[in-house]
């Protein structure tokens, strides 16, 4: 593994725990359901975002880049995690934000608070995000600028996400996680043995067509034992229903685990539906990855009991 430069002490893996759910929650339909609390890693650089960023940050620092540029929407966990991590390592950060906002979101305010310079572009223009000329215009000193793709979706992001395997013991038969770009899924699939099946829950519509793209980033011999579950989108990305909010509140009351409204709530809801439909064997052990994202709950805090 590449050495990590700079001070990573403020993000401490010792904060991460594996929390078993009670039999009451999974009604003894399987041998166990545990939650990997990556949300406890850090309040801003939460969960999988740190793993996708760490090798990108290390590369930028080790190669003398001064500025990091990345992309995201107004509620992007990736954008704010990058802002924070860049500041932590003394790098300048620039965020290219898709869409024009009448008022900045709480997430965007946080990005600025962590020193990120924001550039708002229309959705059409955002399509050019890979365009070198466009990026050149955004940064005065292009040569010392390192570009992290949206969602940290590059080889370093996947390799970094693969490091989450350190928390995944052999006893688990299924690993559940929420999918955005599929970077975390691909990175973990590349690392975990094929006896452990990965269930990727997509919190947006029309996710089925993504499977081929995700496979493209998985080693040929590992392009199986994973599945994209597309039913639990609740109307689309960032959309919610009263039933989902009620589920989050009930889950918190029963487990004291706060789920986020965009990703992990939909995954846990899906797991519970699958348990009720008896889609697992009684000897199965499921590890659900809580990938963080709790900063995004500020937009619904009036609806939540936590
Ligand atoms: C970004 C994010 C994901 C999606 O991760 P990908 O690697 O892009 O698939 C899942 N959960 C949370 C909480 C996130 O913030």
């Amino acid at each position: 593994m590449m050495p990590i430069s700079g001070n990573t002490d403020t993000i401490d893996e010792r904060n991460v725990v594996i929390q078993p759910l009670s039999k009451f929650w999974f009604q003894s339909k399987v041998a166990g359901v545990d939650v990997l609390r990556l949300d406890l890693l850090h309040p801003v650089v939460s969960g999988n975002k740190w793993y996708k960023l760490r090798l990108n940050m290390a590369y930028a620092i080790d190669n003398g880049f001064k500025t990091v540029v990345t992309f995201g929407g107004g509620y992007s966990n990736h954008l704010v995690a990058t802002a924070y991590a860049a500041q932590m390592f003394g790098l300048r950060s620039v965020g290219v934000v898709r869409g024009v906002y009448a008022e900045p979101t709480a997430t965007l305010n946080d990005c600025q608070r962590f020193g990120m310079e924001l550039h708002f572009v229309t959705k059409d223009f955002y399509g050019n995000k890979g365009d070198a000329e466009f990026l050149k215009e955004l940064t005065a000193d292009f040569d010392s600028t390192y570009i992290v793709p949206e969602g940290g979706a590059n080889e370093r992001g996947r390799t970094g996400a693969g490091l989450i395997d350190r928390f995944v013991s052999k006893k688990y038969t299924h690993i559940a996680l929420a999918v955005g770009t599929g970077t975390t899924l691909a990175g973990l699939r590349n690392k975990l043995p094929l006896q452990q099946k990965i269930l990727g829950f997509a919190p947006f519509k029309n996710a089925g067509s993504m499977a081929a793209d995700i496979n493209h980033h998985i080693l040929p011999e590992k392009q199986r034992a994973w599945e994209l579950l597309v039913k639990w989108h609740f109307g689309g990305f960032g959309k919610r229903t009263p039933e989902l909010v009620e589920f989050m509140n009930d889950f918190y009351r029963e487990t004291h685990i706060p789920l986020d409204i965009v990703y992990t709530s939909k995954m846990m809801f899906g797991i519970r539906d699958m348990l009720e439909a008896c889609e697992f064997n009684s000897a199965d052990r499921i590890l659900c990855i809580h990938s963080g994202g709790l900063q995004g709950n500020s937009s619904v805090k009036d609806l939540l009991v936590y």
Side-chain angles (χ1 to χ4, degrees):
M1 200 190 89
M2 218 182 291
I4 302 217
S5 310
N7 170 26
T8 59
D9 289 350
T10 51
I11 294 175
D12 192 344
E13 284 190 326
R14 286 172 298 185
N15 292 332
V16 174
V17 298
I18 290 182
Q19 184 172 338
L21 301 186
S22 74
K23 287 200 173 81
F24 172 77
W25 193 82
F26 56 85
Q27 298 178 7
S28 304
K29 302 233 182 199
V30 289
V33 178
D34 296 354
V35 179
L36 174 59
R37 300 285 311 273
L38 290 184
D39 58 306
L40 297 174
L41 197 58
H42 192 274
V44 180
V45 193
S46 72
N48 61 343
K49 294 298 178 281
W50 169 237
Y51 290 91
K52 294 195 288 182
L53 279 171
R54 54 191 287 177
L55 299 185
N56 279 297
M57 289 292 164
Y59 182 85
I61 294 161
D62 292 346
N63 291 281
F65 290 101
K66 301 280 180 279
T67 304
V68 170
V69 179
T70 197
F71 309 85
Y75 299 90
S76 167
N77 294 326
H78 164 74
L79 209 59
V80 68
T82 305
Y84 192 96
Q87 188 174 67
M88 203 168 86
F89 293 111
L91 295 164
R92 183 176 158 242
S93 71
V94 176
V96 181
V97 184
R98 168 177 18 99
V100 180
Y101 295 80
E103 270 184 48
T105 62
T107 303
L108 294 176
N109 280 330
D110 281 343
C111 287
Q112 282 177 317
R113 199 153 59 84
F114 303 135
M116 183 174 259
E117 194 183 299
L118 297 178
H119 291 271
F120 294 86
V121 297
T122 61
K123 291 194 179 172
D124 287 344
F125 199 66
Y126 190 84
N128 295 329
K129 62 184 185 261
D131 188 310
E133 278 305 309
F134 162 60
L135 292 167
K136 209 167 194 162
E137 279 171 31
L138 283 178
T139 55
D141 189 3
F142 190 61
D143 286 343
S144 85
T145 297
Y146 178 68
I147 295 159
V148 180
E150 182 171 18
N154 61 9
E155 197 55 47
R156 294 185 188 101
R158 285 185 288 278
T159 306
L163 299 173
I164 296 171
D165 80 332
R166 65 189 52 177
F167 301 109
V168 184
S169 88
K170 298 273 177 289
K171 72 176 179 187
Y172 296 108
T173 55
H174 295 78
I175 316 302
L177 49 77
V179 170
T181 60
T183 306
T184 307
L185 193 159
L188 264 178
R189 181 65 289 166
N190 282 335
K191 285 291 285 292
L192 292 174
L194 287 169
Q195 296 91 299
Q196 298 183 303
K197 182 170 183 184
I198 300 182
L199 305 174
F201 290 84
F204 42 84
K205 282 188 189 170
N206 307 318
S209 60
M210 265 187 90
D213 293 337
I214 296 176
N215 252 338
H216 188 71
H217 297 295
I218 299 178
L219 301 166
E221 67 274 21
K222 291 287 186 76
Q223 292 180 357
R224 53 203 175 87
W226 75 271
E227 196 180 336
L228 200 58
L229 296 134
V230 300
K231 273 202 303 211
W232 292 279
H233 58 68
F234 295 85
F237 191 66
K239 300 280 191 334
R240 59 175 187 266
T241 65
E243 197 189 11
L244 182 67
V245 173
E246 191 184 311
F247 172 79
M248 291 166 76
N249 284 330
D250 287 344
F251 190 75
Y252 183 77
R253 288 190 193 99
E254 288 166 30
T255 66
H256 296 287
I257 300 175
L259 297 171
D260 84 292
I261 187 87
V262 178
Y263 291 100
T264 54
S265 55
K266 296 180 181 181
M267 166 189 75
M268 285 314 306
F269 198 108
I271 285 288
R272 196 198 52 179
D273 275 355
M274 289 175 73
L275 285 162
E276 279 177 1
C278 298
E279 293 188 30
F280 296 98
N281 295 319
S282 58
D284 286 347
R285 284 186 186 277
I286 307 168
L287 180 67
C288 304
I289 299 185
H290 191 322
S291 39
L294 295 171
Q295 67 85 22
N297 281 355
S298 59
S299 61
V300 288
K301 63 175 181 293
D302 295 344
L303 303 175
L304 299 174
V305 297
Y306 52 94

